[in-house]
Amino acid sequence: PYGFGSAPNVKMHSSTVVGAKYGSWDTSCTTCHNPHQQEQNLAYKTTYGKYIKEYICLDNPVTGLNIQEFVKFTAATGTGSFADGAPHNENVCEMCHTQTNHHRRDGSAPGDLTGGNYTGHNDNSDCTSCHPHNEGFKPAGGTPPPPHDTINNCSYCHVDGQPYTTTIPDSKCEQCHTATGALKASYPTAPDVKTHSSANGSGKYIYNNTCVGCHDPMHAQTNLKAVRSTLAGSAIPGSNIVFTSLTGAGSFANGTPYNQNVCETCHTMTNHHQSDGTAPGGQSHNDGTNCTGCHPHGEGFKPSGGGACGSCHGVPPATGTHLKHFGGTIEQASYGSTAITQDAASQGTVYIMNCGNCHPIDASKHMNSVPNSGGGSAEIELYNPNAPAGSLKALNPPNAAYTPGTSTYADGNGMLYTMGTCSNVYCHSYTKVTTSGVVPFPTVPPYLPPLVYDPPWESLVVKTTEYKTPAWGVDSLGCNGCHGNPPMTAYPTVSAGAGNSHGWTDDFGFISLHVWNMGFAPLQCSTCHSDTVKADAAWSRTEYSIVFGNVPIYNTAKHVNGKKDVAFTLTKGFYSGNVKLTGATFDPVTKNCSNVICHGPQTPVKWGTPYRSWNGYECDVCHQGF
């Protein structure tokens, strides 16, 4: 109203305007300005001084502190601006500050330090862009300097309408740190990351960590990457996290005390790097290295991408028969694991036989510079008494072994291997059936099933495991590579076809049982193993011999899984085409087949029951009731 219409409207830099977080305090206009003299311009031969005093005095009634400093304020940005770096006490914005998060007069503001070193906070910028004089210099309005380059930048991280003390949700972080984030175009250099949670991990354990659970982007930390000094998920509460370097001392995991390392403080079940130092796979595992080389943040820190499995060799290596044994993903591969296809899915088209089935289950043996006996890079272990019960490895006998080949080869990663042979391994074996003597005819009238034998026929059946020795990377195994196709027994090593009802060549050279099928087309593998195979094999047969062609495995989860899976096909018709196995069942304990229409109206028929076409009583096992 006095003719000074261009004079800016401002507010005092006082607790009544900015807030009383640090008690009641006040400054007046003339604490900083001398409206009658251009002190800065006169002292430094400039034109920007804004009437700021050359020498500023402040008495703080709250702390009792008296501050008197010469300051330099000759430009809006750059040298001589509001806060342009050391000496901090000579900057007009810093000379009075002793408790602020940024820009303290002694350079110790926690928000300005990274790893204990001063990195500043928008030094050389026009501070009034974020802290306008018309708001008493509190953060409000204005246009923040880069990278915070929009007026309403607070809503980037904070939830509108909620107190700024409210935890920042991951959805806010994802605006910049995902490829499709809403702010990605504005901040293209923001790295794409995933949270360290079971949703982004292997799924073996259930856990969840939010972005702000590890990072505090609003209050600067003494650690790198705004990592908090204490993490809520620490296994030892109150652990002080030291993360001041990407490698060496103060890095992700650099040795004791483990609970103070950012990668180890929460871990209690990992194979490596547990918070108490008891990790079964070895506590010292690439200590002092940049863990994200193998466990990238972009994958939620699970082993993938540019490191771990895949950085030193293929997953699996494209050598030998690796690809036949493991056709899964890199996430499904795990050193020391004896998991197989059925552990990954109930239905599979490829085999997923994990590393521990052929290599050591002890993770400490990984990369321990112990080659196999033939000079290959990978240590081979086909027997281990500590293998998990029921695993394929546990089914191998102590003499299971790999015999290296005579020549050594190198793959594209420089890994050495040989074309050796596997022997005495369960995966390449079958159950051989013989009889220790002649099975007698049934002896007790009235000769009605179940027939009685003296001695019992079961006591004469001998089952042994026969092993094949396939050459690694050389042999391409069909259905008869491990067991017969079809499985057959023959007189005189087997009497009366006892113990194996697939097929038997009798005393006179004729074939019988399921592969003969009373002269009809032989019963296909899918008849009784329809969960494993579906396709029919090509076949040729005479009265004295039969040959099946190979059939593809329909479900690898049901093949080479430690069990003989029996599942009757319920859709296929037999004989006239109208006879189906509806309601047929198999009891794996008693080995009894029930409700199998092929056997006529009968009590259950036991697998391996003696059958001789010249003995009417044994024929009537199927023909009872006719």
Side-chain angles (χ1 to χ4, degrees):
Y2 299 102
F4 301 101
S6 62
N9 296 323
V10 296
K11 293 180 181 179
M12 295 291 237
H13 190 42
S14 63
S15 59
T16 57
V17 177
V18 179
K21 182 177 182 180
Y22 300 114
S24 177
W25 54 278
D26 198 8
T27 60
S28 68
C29 298
T30 58
T31 299
C32 296
H33 298 278
N34 177 4
H36 299 293
Q37 292 289 336
Q38 298 275 2
E39 294 188 24
Q40 292 291 322
N41 293 340
L42 290 171
Y44 298 105
K45 310 301 181 185
T46 57
T47 59
Y48 184 78
K50 298 292 183 181
Y51 297 98
I52 295 293
K53 290 181 176 181
E54 182 184 6
Y55 184 75
I56 296 178
C57 302
L58 176 67
D59 291 316
N60 191 326
V62 177
T63 64
L65 184 66
N66 173 261
I67 297 174
Q68 303 178 48
E69 296 290 353
F70 280 94
V71 298
K72 183 178 181 179
F73 185 60
T74 58
T77 60
T79 302
S81 56
F82 296 86
D84 66 343
H88 308 290
N89 61 308
E90 294 182 7
N91 295 324
V92 66
C93 281
E94 298 179 320
M95 65 151 292
C96 299
H97 293 171
T98 59
Q99 301 183 78
T100 51
N101 187 50
H102 297 294
H103 296 303
R104 291 183 185 177
R105 59 183 278 111
D106 61 359
S108 67
D112 296 347
L113 303 177
T114 301
N117 298 316
Y118 180 81
T119 53
H121 172 76
N122 295 319
D123 288 8
N124 298 300
S125 300
D126 184 343
C127 293
T128 61
S129 296
C130 290
H131 305 262
H133 201 334
N134 63 4
E135 292 296 335
F137 298 113
K138 70 179 179 182
T143 303
H148 304 288
D149 53 6
T150 64
I151 293 177
N152 296 314
N153 64 89
C154 299
S155 64
Y156 278 15
C157 299
H158 296 285
V159 179
D160 290 338
Q162 294 186 8
Y164 285 171
T165 55
T166 303
T167 300
I168 299 171
D170 282 352
S171 59
K172 292 290 186 178
C173 304
E174 291 167 357
Q175 294 177 113
C176 295
H177 294 289
T178 59
T180 57
L183 300 175
K184 192 65 175 180
S186 299
Y187 303 106
T189 60
D192 296 333
V193 298
K194 294 179 181 178
T195 55
H196 190 40
S197 63
S198 54
N200 296 318
S202 66
K204 186 176 182 180
Y205 306 110
I206 304 300
Y207 60 99
N208 187 50
N209 295 298
T210 63
C211 299
V212 296
C214 294
H215 302 277
D216 183 357
M218 306 309 295
H219 304 92
Q221 308 296 316
T222 58
N223 292 318
L224 295 178
K225 309 293 185 181
V227 168
R228 294 175 180 270
S229 296
T230 58
L231 302 185
S234 177
I236 303 176
S239 298
N240 182 45
I241 304 304
V242 178
F243 182 55
T244 55
S245 176
L246 297 179
T247 60
S251 56
F252 295 88
N254 65 296
T256 57
Y258 305 113
N259 63 294
Q260 293 184 13
N261 296 326
V262 66
C263 281
E264 298 177 320
T265 186
C266 300
H267 293 170
T268 59
M269 305 173 77
T270 51
N271 189 48
H272 298 294
H273 296 303
Q274 290 190 8
S275 59
D276 62 357
T278 62
Q283 189 68 26
S284 297
H285 171 75
N286 296 321
D287 284 7
T289 60
N290 187 336
C291 294
T292 61
C294 292
H295 304 262
H297 201 335
E299 294 296 332
F301 297 110
K302 67 181 176 182
S304 55
C309 297
S311 62
C312 301
H313 55 74
V315 184
T319 55
T321 325
H322 276 116
L323 295 174
K324 180 68 175 179
H325 288 78
F326 188 93
T329 64
I330 188 172
E331 288 80 8
Q332 291 170 321
S334 179
Y335 189 89
S337 171
T338 56
I340 56 176
T341 315
Q342 66 179 12
D343 299 312
S346 59
Q347 178 73 41
T349 57
V350 296
Y351 292 101
I352 303 177
M353 297 180 180
N354 235 300
C355 312
N357 287 292
C358 300
H359 301 289
I361 59 175
D362 181 356
S364 67
K365 293 187 176 182
H366 187 221
M367 298 192 304
N368 64 348
S369 302
V370 177
N372 64 54
S373 58
S377 299
E379 192 171 354
I380 309 297
E381 178 192 82
L382 298 181
Y383 173 76
N384 190 314
N386 298 316
S391 66
L392 299 184
K393 196 162 200 166
L395 295 174
N396 291 342
N399 61 343
Y402 175 76
T403 303
T406 56
S407 299
T408 301
Y409 306 91
D411 68 6
N413 293 298
M415 302 291 287
L416 303 179
Y417 65 97
T418 68
M419 297 294 199
T421 56
C422 296
S423 58
N424 300 315
V425 291
Y426 164 82
C427 300
H428 299 289
S429 70
Y430 72 98
T431 301
K432 180 179 180 180
V433 174
T434 59
T435 53
S436 58
V438 177
V439 175
F441 290 120
T443 58
V444 179
Y447 306 117
L448 295 176
L451 302 178
V452 177
Y453 294 83
D454 185 18
W457 65 267
E458 292 92 340
S459 67
L460 299 172
V461 173
V462 178
K463 294 183 178 181
T464 56
T465 302
E466 291 285 310
Y467 298 96
K468 298 297 181 72
T469 55
W472 180 254
V474 176
D475 291 331
S476 179
L477 304 179
C479 294
N480 65 348
C482 298
H483 54 72
N485 188 29
M488 293 284 292
T489 60
Y491 175 84
T493 56
V494 173
S495 174
N500 182 352
S501 298
H502 284 110
W504 176 57
T505 302
D506 67 19
D507 307 36
F508 307 101
F510 296 103
I511 60 175
S512 62
L513 300 176
H514 290 88
V515 296
W516 177 245
N517 196 26
M518 302 300 115
F520 292 92
L523 294 181
Q524 293 279 345
C525 304
S526 61
T527 306
C528 303
H529 305 285
S530 65
D531 280 354
T532 308
V533 293
K534 295 290 188 187
D536 287 347
W539 59 277
S540 62
R541 184 183 66 185
T542 68
E543 291 181 286
Y544 307 102
S545 65
I546 183 170
V547 176
F548 273 7
N550 292 321
V551 292
I553 301 301
Y554 165 72
N555 184 4
T556 53
K558 296 291 186 179
H559 190 230
V560 195
N561 62 348
K563 298 183 289 289
K564 295 179 175 65
D565 292 290
V566 176
F568 295 108
T569 181
L570 303 180
T571 57
K572 187 180 296 184
F574 300 94
Y575 307 121
S576 65
N578 296 320
V579 178
K580 296 185 178 180
L581 300 179
T582 305
T585 61
F586 175 75
D587 185 336
V589 177
T590 63
K591 308 262 190 237
N592 283 339
C593 295
S594 300
N595 299 317
V596 179
I597 191 64
C598 308
H599 294 287
Q602 37 113 4
T603 57
V605 176
K606 186 173 184 177
W607 177 261
T609 294
Y611 169 79
R612 285 162 284 204
S613 60
W614 57 94
N615 183 278
Y617 302 113
E618 292 175 343
C619 290
D620 285 341
V621 170
C622 290
H623 291 286
Q624 56 183 290
F626 287 106

